[in-house]
Amino acid sequence: MQTLMIVCAGGATSSLMAQNVVKSATSEGMDAVLLFPDDVKYKDSFLEKYSERDLIVVMGPVGAITAGKFRDYKEQVDAVLVAPQVKYMYKTVEEVLGELNIPCANIDSLDFGRMRGDKILTQGLALMDAKNSK
């Protein structure tokens, strides 16, 4: 099981993007599901419900990534992608996640605008693979 979190400002377009990422993963034969931060927060119940899945995509607000709040998710999230709408917050996200050894990256604006779930999936999987190969 791998968990990719996509963070944004409000969630309307980002939830569509997250749905497209799940659809792309499913079309590639993965057992994928879209969740929200509260579904992931409690490690034991999260693992009990979803450990058999190949990919968990979590869609949440960028405000969830603060040193205090994100500690609840640090063992459940493998990588974070930052939506273009909150690109200005990337440095803060990178600092918090860097301390927790969780890779992050900005989502390409063009891929996001075109709702290219396949490209975002590839980007997320590459981040997670890089983390796992360390």
Side-chain angles (χ1 to χ4, degrees):
M1 174 184 72
Q2 293 183 303
T3 305
L4 173 65
M5 186 173 202
I6 297 174
V7 295
C8 64
T13 54
S14 297
S15 67
L16 286 174
M17 172 51 69
Q19 289 172 24
N20 284 345
V21 170
V22 170
K23 285 179 189 174
S24 294
T26 302
S27 73
E28 291 186 21
M30 299 174 91
D31 182 7
V33 66
L34 175 63
L35 300 176
F36 298 93
D38 282 345
D39 299 320
V40 179
K41 188 174 182 177
Y42 303 103
K43 181 182 173 187
D44 292 338
S45 63
F46 169 70
L47 292 175
E48 184 180 313
K49 290 180 186 176
Y50 302 104
S51 64
E52 298 298 317
R53 300 275 185 159
D54 297 318
L55 179 67
I56 308 296
V57 178
V58 180
M59 209 300 292
V62 72
I65 302 186
T66 64
K69 289 180 183 176
F70 207 77
R71 296 209 184 279
D72 291 336
Y73 308 100
K74 68 182 178 184
E75 293 179 34
Q76 293 88 278
V77 175
D78 297 303
V80 175
L81 292 175
V82 179
Q85 303 93 311
V86 291
K87 185 174 168 177
Y88 66 93
M89 301 245 342
Y90 182 75
K91 282 287 185 201
T92 303
V93 169
E94 186 179 44
E95 285 176 21
V96 170
L97 297 178
E99 291 175 14
L100 301 171
N101 197 31
I102 298 172
C104 64
N106 282 314
I107 296 174
D108 180 83
S109 310
L110 193 55
D111 289 337
F112 189 90
R114 291 183 176 168
M115 290 287 146
R116 295 290 311 264
D118 58 330
K119 296 275 189 180
I120 308 309
L121 173 64
T122 299
Q123 182 183 14
L125 292 174
L127 269 178
M128 292 184 284
D129 287 346
K131 177 186 176 183
N132 293 333
S133 67
K134 285 185 179 181

